[in-house]
């Protein structure tokens, strides 16, 4: 293998390492692959120490749009706020809140802000979001509700939930991003083929002669044009994220793989605050929407037992039953998700099952170890699915 081939191989590996999106436990990624509609993905690999995992993106930039959405990481009630929720659609028990975070009544909430992926309350980490824009969104909701009179807070929480399930809002936002990023999408496609095909061919044809450096200059000019467009749009959509903007722009001027993935930096947080179900109803394949709706409905109606107790768990339960479930049921009706028919033949399923995972059991009232101890229910009973 020549030095040029070795360099190209290393560069391809570095580029592929950037074709990932990091997600927290309640996070979902809507990714465009070969089809015009999106697919919905959870983190394929998780790291407990990082409190997040990653999903794989489309490596081809013209089709590589990704939106990151998440279920609510906090529970809001008229009395206060809790740093966890029963509504995260996880395959296992959700990670607990940051160390030291617990229920706060509204009178004790003093300072609210966002730093990186974290929502901060009273100067301490309170909850982890999937994107920086998501953290700012949750901080804005907490500030708004905290400033209201006590008798208006419950209605404000319901309004915030209805907005998060607004499919039309997701459709408009996605269409806006695709329209204003047309130039970046075109440049990213040109850069992709120029770097991985044109540049190796130029080196093979001209080696380190003047024509090869002219090709390098042409590629860098396209990179510069892309970075200027990225900087302009990022400042328009995320005015408070100046550090992220300057960092990515500086790297994109030097390294083409950052330039090629500029669109990801613009799109990831663009649907922050929109529930994954609403985003999927607006953008995803019909079968992807059906699978997600089934998962969200199952996890909302049969949530894992909370790892916390006391006022934190009580607030999460109140938010779940008083606010989240009515908003979810209304959203499911709007997207036309049907009630699933119960099996009529019990000979192959058993007389009871876990209402969450559907595993068959010989009798009801037995804890399902795979679902955190949820009690099994008799088929046809009131607690069945």
């Amino acid at each position: 293998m020549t030095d040029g081939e070795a360099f190209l191989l290393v560069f391809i590996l570095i580029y592929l390492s950037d074709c990932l999106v990091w997600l927290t436990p309640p996070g979902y990624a809507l990714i465009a692959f070969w089809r015009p509609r999106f697919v919905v993905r959870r983190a394929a690999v998780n790291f407990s120490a990082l409190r997040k995992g990653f999903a794989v993106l489309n490596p081809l930039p013209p089709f590589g749009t990704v939106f990151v959405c998440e279920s609510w990481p906090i529970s809001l009630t008229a009395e206060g706020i809790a740093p966890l929720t029963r509504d995260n659609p996880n395959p296992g028990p959700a990670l607990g809140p940051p160390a030291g975070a617990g229920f706060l009544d509204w009178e004790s909430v003093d300072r609210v802000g966002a730093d990186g992926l974290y929502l901060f309350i009273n100067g301490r980490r309170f909850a982890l979001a999937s994107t920086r824009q998501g953290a700012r969104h949750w901080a804005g909701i907490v500030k708004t509700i905290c400033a209201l009179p006590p008798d208006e807070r419950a209605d404000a929480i319901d309004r915030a939930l209805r907005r998060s399930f607004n499919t039309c809002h997701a459709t408009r936002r996605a269409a806006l991003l695709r329209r204003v990023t047309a130039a970046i999408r075109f440049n990213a496609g040109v850069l992709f083929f120029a770097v991985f095909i044109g540049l190796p061919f130029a080196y093979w044809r001209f080696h380190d002669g003047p024509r090869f450096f002219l090709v390098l200059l042409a590629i860098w000019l396209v990179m510069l044009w892309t970075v200027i467009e990225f900087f302009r749009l990022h400042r328009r959509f995320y005015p408070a994220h100046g550090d992220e903007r300057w960092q990515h722009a500086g790297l994109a001027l030097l390294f083409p793989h950052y330039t090629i993935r500029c669109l990801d930096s613009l799109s990831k947080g663009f649907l922050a605050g929109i529930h994954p179900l609403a985003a999927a109803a607006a953008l995803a394949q019909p079968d992807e929407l059906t699978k997600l709706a089934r998962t969200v409905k199952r996890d909302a109606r049969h949530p894992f037992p909370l790892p916390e107790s006391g006022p934190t768990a009580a607030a999460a339960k109140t938010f779940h039953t008083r606010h989240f479930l009515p908003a979810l049921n209304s959203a499911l009706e709007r997207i036309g998700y049907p009630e699933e028919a119960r099996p009529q033949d019990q000979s192959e399923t058993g007389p009871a099952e876990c209402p969450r995972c559907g595993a068959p059991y010989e009798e009801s009232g037995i804890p399902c170890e795979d679902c955190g101890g949820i009690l099994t229910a008799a088929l046809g009973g009131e607690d069945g699915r």
Side-chain angles (χ1 to χ4, degrees), residues 155-177:
D155 291 337
I157 296 170
D158 289 334
R159 288 195 299 271
L161 275 164
R162 286 196 295 269
R163 285 196 300 270
S164 72
F165 282 108
N166 189 332
T167 301
C168 294
H169 181 49
T171 303
R172 290 193 298 267
R173 293 282 292 175
L176 170 64
L177 182 77

Side-chain angles (χ1 to χ4, degrees), residues 14-47:
I14 294 175
Y15 173 76
L16 291 177
S17 70
D18 278 343
C19 299
L20 305 173
V21 57
W22 289 87
L23 302 170
T24 54
Y28 274 89
L30 279 80
I31 304 171
F33 282 96
W34 301 105
R35 296 166 288 186
R37 303 285 285 178
F38 288 71
V39 296
V40 184
R41 291 291 181 266
R42 292 288 318 282
V45 179
N46 289 279
F47 301 93

Side-chain angles (χ1 to χ4, degrees), residues 14-352:
I14 294 175
Y15 173 76
L16 291 177
S17 70
D18 278 343
C19 299
L20 305 173
V21 57
W22 289 87
L23 302 170
T24 54
Y28 274 89
L30 279 80
I31 304 171
F33 282 96
W34 301 105
R35 296 166 288 186
R37 303 285 285 178
F38 288 71
V39 296
V40 184
R41 291 291 181 266
R42 292 288 318 282
V45 179
N46 289 279
F47 301 93
S48 298
L50 300 176
R51 301 173 63 85
K52 62 178 78 171
F54 65 80
V56 179
L57 300 178
N58 189 335
L60 301 180
F63 310 99
T65 307
V66 54
F67 297 106
V68 175
C69 302
E70 61 185 338
S71 184
W72 285 52
I74 54 178
S75 294
L76 304 178
T77 69
E79 292 74 29
I81 176 174
L84 48 74
T85 176
R86 306 189 77 191
D87 314 311
N88 289 341
N90 294 299
L95 294 175
F103 175 79
L104 294 174
D105 58 73
W106 292 113
E107 287 68 26
S108 64
V109 174
D110 182 20
R111 290 170 292 136
V112 180
D115 187 4
L117 300 180
Y118 280 95
L119 166 66
F120 276 73
I121 297 182
N122 297 341
R124 302 186 63 176
R125 290 179 174 179
F126 193 78
L128 178 66
S130 288
T131 61
R132 292 165 60 99
Q133 189 63 17
R136 293 184 62 84
H137 172 79
W138 304 122
I141 288 180
V142 173
K143 288 180 181 178
T144 300
I145 295 177
C146 185
L148 294 175
D151 58 343
E152 297 181 12
R153 286 171 179 154
D155 291 337
I157 296 170
D158 289 334
R159 288 195 299 271
L161 275 164
R162 286 196 295 269
R163 285 196 300 270
S164 72
F165 282 108
N166 189 332
T167 301
C168 294
H169 181 49
T171 303
R172 290 193 298 267
R173 293 282 292 175
L176 170 64
L177 182 77
R178 187 164 188 88
R179 184 172 67 252
V180 300
T181 57
I184 289 182
R185 193 181 305 275
F186 175 79
N187 289 351
V190 170
L191 276 174
F192 181 85
F193 289 102
V195 169
F196 291 105
I197 298 177
L199 192 61
F201 176 79
Y203 183 78
W204 171 78
R205 181 69 176 80
F206 307 114
H207 298 285
D208 55 354
R211 294 182 181 180
F212 172 74
F213 289 102
L214 286 176
V215 173
L216 278 179
L217 177 61
I219 290 176
W220 187 82
L221 290 176
V222 177
M223 290 170 59
L224 177 62
W225 179 17
T226 306
V227 170
I228 293 173
E229 187 70 10
F230 160 80
F231 194 92
R232 182 183 68 84
L233 291 176
H234 197 281
R235 184 172 56 185
R236 172 185 172 185
F237 295 137
Y238 311 112
H241 298 169
D243 56 340
E244 180 184 48
R245 180 162 54 251
W246 281 104
Q247 179 184 14
H248 190 90
L251 292 171
L253 281 174
L254 299 174
F255 306 107
H257 58 284
Y258 280 97
T259 319
I260 293 172
R261 307 305 303 191
C262 272
L263 183 59
D264 295 345
S265 296
L266 292 171
S267 65
K268 286 177 185 176
F270 205 67
L271 298 186
I274 296 177
H275 194 277
L277 183 63
L283 304 172
Q285 297 281 344
D287 57 332
E288 294 286 328
L289 173 60
T290 300
K291 289 189 294 185
L292 178 61
R294 183 185 300 116
T295 300
V296 172
K297 175 182 174 183
R298 179 204 67 186
D299 292 0
R301 296 190 177 182
H302 306 287
F304 278 98
L306 289 172
E308 304 287 329
S309 60
T312 299
K317 184 176 181 180
T318 299
F319 173 75
H320 180 76
T321 56
R322 164 66 178 82
H323 301 286
F324 185 82
L325 275 179
L328 173 63
N329 292 333
S330 178
L332 290 172
E333 291 179 3
R334 286 197 301 272
I335 67 175
Y337 181 75
E339 289 287 339
E340 296 180 2
R342 297 188 54 80
Q344 299 297 320
D345 183 10
Q346 300 181 8
S347 60
E348 298 182 358
T349 60

